[in-house]
Amino acid sequence: MTVTDPVSAPDAGGRPRRATRRFPLFTRDTARPEGGGRAAPGDAPAPARQWPILAVLLVAGLGLLLTAFDLFRIGTLLIGVALLAGGVLRWAVPDVGMLAVRSRFTDIVTYGGLGLAIVLLALMVQPDPLLKIPFLKDALHFTVSSS
């Protein structure tokens, strides 16, 4: 038996059925995320097929390396920027390969939210913060301060 419809898949009995992205009552398998296809043609080498995730991982790895060499602010900024870039890539590029983990909306919100939080925390790190939030000292009144 051949399956002719590109979006159909055989069921347990081998009969073709139309597969949907809607979750069944009892999940037996997980659907590949939207945009989870190859980012380059199949005959391209493996790194070229997964260039979005490799770019994000290389920038985040460079940030971790700089953090290990005591350049904390620059390193954490790079990690946050890598996550923000992952969110932008997930939004702009139709097929991002392994960078697609969940639905497009969830990936963008997760990458963007975590990236923004890391960048803001990196800008507020002591000593000599580059970003000062006026109400933060009042909100954290129980911490030790010099004044």
Side-chain angles (χ1 to χ4, degrees):
M1 176 173 291
T2 24
V3 178
T4 57
D5 189 4
V7 291
S8 65
D11 61 3
R15 294 178 305 274
R17 64 173 173 77
R18 185 165 177 81
T20 66
R21 293 192 58 83
R22 195 174 298 196
F23 288 109
L25 185 58
F26 299 102
T27 305
R28 291 183 178 81
D29 197 7
T30 55
R32 195 168 80 186
E34 171 191 346
R38 295 181 176 132
D43 57 347
R49 289 192 308 261
Q50 297 297 331
W51 69 266
I53 188 86
L54 288 176
V56 170
L57 287 176
L58 285 174
V59 173
L62 179 63
L64 287 172
L65 188 65
L66 289 175
T67 303
F69 286 124
D70 210 21
L71 295 170
F72 182 78
R73 181 169 294 155
I74 297 170
T76 51
L77 274 172
L78 271 178
I79 293 169
V81 166
L83 286 172
L84 288 172
V88 169
L89 282 172
R90 186 69 174 99
W91 173 67
V93 180
D95 289 325
V96 289
M98 290 174 37
L99 191 62
V101 178
R102 297 158 294 269
S103 70
R104 184 178 301 266
F105 174 77
T106 306
D107 282 342
I108 291 170
V109 169
T110 304
Y111 291 138
L114 289 174
L116 185 66
I118 291 173
V119 166
L120 289 177
L121 289 172
L123 292 174
M124 292 188 301
V125 74
Q126 297 289 336
D128 303 322
L130 299 175
L131 177 65
K132 295 181 183 183
I133 299 177
F135 64 86
L136 190 61
K137 190 168 186 172
D138 294 333
L140 300 174
H141 67 278
F142 56 87
T143 60
V144 178
S145 66
S146 60
S147 55

